[in-house]
Amino acid sequence: MPRTIGSHSDITGPRVRAAALKLFAEHGFAAVSMRRIASEVGVQAGALYNYTPDKQTLLFELMQTHMEELLAALPQQSDASVMDRLEGFVRFHIAFHHERPDAVFIAYMELRNLDPANFSRIEALRRRYETALEDILGAGSDQGIFDVADTKITTLAVIAMLTGVTTWFRPGGRLSLRAVQDQYWDMVRRMVVRAPDGSV
Amino acid sequence: MPRTIGSHSDITGPRVRAAALKLFAEHGFAAVSMRRIASEVGVQAGALYNYTPDKQTLLFELMQTHMEELLAALPQQSDASVMDRLEGFVRFHIAFHHERPDAVFIAYMELRNLDPANFSRIEALRRRYETALEDILGAGSDQGIFDVADTKITTLAVIAMLTGVTTWFRPGGRLSLRAVQDQYWDMVRRMVVRAPDGSV
DNA sequence: GTCTATAGGAGGATAGAC
DNA sequence: GTCTATCCTCCTATAGAC
C-alpha cells in the first residue's frame, strides 16, 4: 500500500546509490556534484541527505558493499585440488568483475578520495581477497605443484593482470567472456605451474 | 644574469608542472584547485596562467610529455632475438614506470578528465606503446619461439601485470628493483614461451 | 612575471514549509 | 520524503596595477 504521495524511501535509496555508482565511475568522485546525482535520480539535492549523511559516506558505502559482495561470492572449494582452486579463482575474478565494471572501477580508482578511517576499512577487505589467492598459491607450492618464487608478488601480478580485463572487455566484441577466461587461465597456469623434469 | 625582481619564467614553469604532477597524482585532477597548485609553487593563482591557458591543458601536457618520454626511452633493439627483446621490454617497463610513479598514475587514472580531442591524442600514443610489445610477441610466435594464442590479449595482460608494480613497489622495501624485474621477467617468460616437446 | 581584486558561477550541506 | 531557499565556501579565469 502506497504511503503519502512524495514518499519513496524504499525505491529512492537504491536509485541514489545506482546513480552515484554510475556517475562516480564515469567522471570520478571529485568531479561529480550532489546536484548532478540528484538530477540523475530526479530529485532535488537536499533530498539526497535522507539517504546519506554526506558525499564521503556515499562513496565509502558503495566501495564497502562492492568489496563485501566480492568476498561473499568468492568460491570456497577448499576440498578441491590446488589446480582447480586456482582455475576457479581466475574464472571467478574475471566473471565477477565483468558484471560490475562501475563498482570495480571505483574500488580501484577512488581509494585516494576516502578519508583515512574509511581507507583502512576498505584496504582490510582488499587484503582479505588477496589472501584468498595467496593461500592457493602457497598450498600449491607446498605440494610441489606450483613453482612460485614469491607468493605475495605472484598474487599481485595475477590480480593486476586479471583486473586489467575490465578496461577493454566488452560483450559482443571479438571474444566471448568464456574465451577470455580460457586464455587468462592458460596464461596464469603457465606462470605458476612447475615445469616437468627436464623441460627447463 | 638575473632579470627584474619577481620575474622567474625559466624556473617557475617547471615548478608549476612539478607541483601539478604531484598534486594530481595524490588527490586527482578534479580534486586539486589552481589555488592549491599555486600555493605549492609559492605564487598566487593568477600567475599560473602565464604557464598554461587553463587547467585542462596543464593536465594534457603532463600526460603528453609522459607518453612521449616513454616512447622515446623505449629500447629499439630490433636486431636482437625476440627473447632478448621481450626481456628488454619487461625490464624497461618496470624501471621506467618506477622512476615516474606520479606520471604513470596520472596517465592511467585521469584519462576520463581529458576532453575528447586530448583523449584521442593520448590514446594514440598509448597504442603505439602497446604495439611495440605486440610486435615482439607476434615475431616470437612467427618464429615458433613463443606460444601465444592471441597477441592482443597477451599484450594487454602483460602490460597490466607490469604496471601493477607501481601500486606496491617502494625502494628500500623487501625486494630490490632488480629482484622485482627478475621475478616479473620469469613470469612473463613462462607465460609466452612455447613448452618443449613432450612437456605438456 | 607576479600581484591584488574580482567577476561569475558551482560546490556541500542545512532549515523549514508542505 | 521532498521541496524551495539559502548559507557560506570554494572554484576557474580575467583585469589591471606594479
Side-chain angles (χ1 to χ4, degrees), chain A residues 9-26:
Chain A
S9 71
D10 39 356
I11 59 171
T12 303
R15 293 188 63 211
V16 168
R17 287 185 287 277
L21 190 75
K22 175 190 156 192
L23 292 169
F24 289 167
E26 194 171 341

Side-chain angles (χ1 to χ4, degrees), chain B residues 33-35 49:
Chain B
S33 68
M34 294 297 270
R35 280 181 175 79
Y49 292 87

Side-chain angles (χ1 to χ4, degrees), chain B residues 107-162:
Chain B
Y108 281 82
M109 305 277 273
E110 303 296 354
L111 285 167
R112 62 188 170 184
N113 284 308
L114 291 173
D115 66 33
N118 287 340
F119 178 82
S120 296
R121 294 158 77 184
I122 298 297
E123 270 296 285
L125 294 171
R126 194 181 56 72
R127 288 294 278 268
R128 277 180 50 200
Y129 184 70
E130 289 175 3
T131 301
L133 174 56
E134 194 176 352
D135 286 348
I136 297 171
L137 295 177
S141 294
D142 291 346
Q143 296 171 26
I145 295 170
F146 297 159
D147 173 24
V148 173
D150 186 312
T151 57
K152 194 89 210 155
I153 285 188
T154 305
T155 296
L156 296 172
V158 168
I159 288 180
M161 187 174 107
L162 297 179

Side-chain angles (χ1 to χ4, degrees), chain A residues 165-179:
Chain A
V165 173
T166 61
T167 64
W168 58 265
F169 180 74
R170 295 296 174 271
R174 181 166 61 88
L175 292 168
S176 68
L177 183 65
R178 178 59 190 257

